[in-house]
Amino acid sequence: MRKNSGLTAYELAVTIGIMSVIASITMPPYLQWWRTSRIQSAVSNLTADIEMAKTRAIRENAFVVIKFNSGSYRVFVDNNKDWDPNNGEDVLLDRTLPAGVSIDTASLTFSPYTDKLRFNSRGIPSEIVSEEKIGVNHPSNNREVTINRLGNIHVQ
């Protein structure tokens, strides 16, 4: 008498069918969570980096600038007060945003430069006269980081 071992084609087809049904039920919520976590991570990093820039401005007793691009931003100490990282000024951070996440640079209204935010030695963004919004966009979700004239940050 011969012992049966292994799977038949029918058993294999049923197993693959059950796995397909389970995958079709669980994958859409997982993909939505994954997309949402990208923008949440980017917003969390941005708020932490703005706080870090504010703290460094106080600690260094100098101006610290954040220059925004659509897919990244740079934080640097601005010793000569020209709003640009040059002449050996310390670049504190270069951060690239996750794929699909961008900063809405067209809506930035910082003064005098629309794409740069600067903290003075007291940690106050002195060029801001009212609340400013930094839009962080993703195809599935948009968030706003609001900063007021005292440097307080709020995420919406």
Side-chain angles (χ1 to χ4, degrees), residues 43-110:
V43 168
S44 177
N45 286 340
L46 178 60
T47 56
D49 294 340
I50 292 172
E51 288 287 347
M52 181 267 305
K54 192 165 65 167
T55 303
R56 284 297 288 262
I58 295 168
R59 191 173 90 195
E60 303 280 334
N61 197 25
F63 287 100
V64 174
V65 176
I66 304 172
K67 181 182 183 332
F68 297 99
N69 296 315
S70 63
S72 65
Y73 54 92
R74 171 179 276 184
V75 181
F76 60 93
V77 177
D78 191 22
N79 292 327
N80 60 4
K81 302 175 189 165
D82 68 348
W83 294 80
D84 288 316
N86 49 25
N87 298 330
E89 294 174 332
D90 290 337
V91 174
L92 304 174
L93 177 70
D94 270 323
R95 180 156 332 254
T96 303
L97 299 174
V101 178
S102 64
I103 294 175
D104 185 13
T105 55
S107 69
L108 295 178
T109 57
F110 300 124

Side-chain angles (χ1 to χ4, degrees), residues 43-44 47 143-146 153-156:
V43 168
S44 177
T47 56
R143 304 286 298 270
E144 282 185 340
V145 176
T146 305
I153 301 165
H154 179 69
V155 178
Q156 298 173 348

Side-chain angles (χ1 to χ4, degrees), residues 39 43 102 135-144 156:
I39 193 162
V43 168
S102 64
V136 182
N137 301 328
H138 188 271
S140 68
N141 195 357
N142 295 329
R143 304 286 298 270
E144 282 185 340
Q156 298 173 348

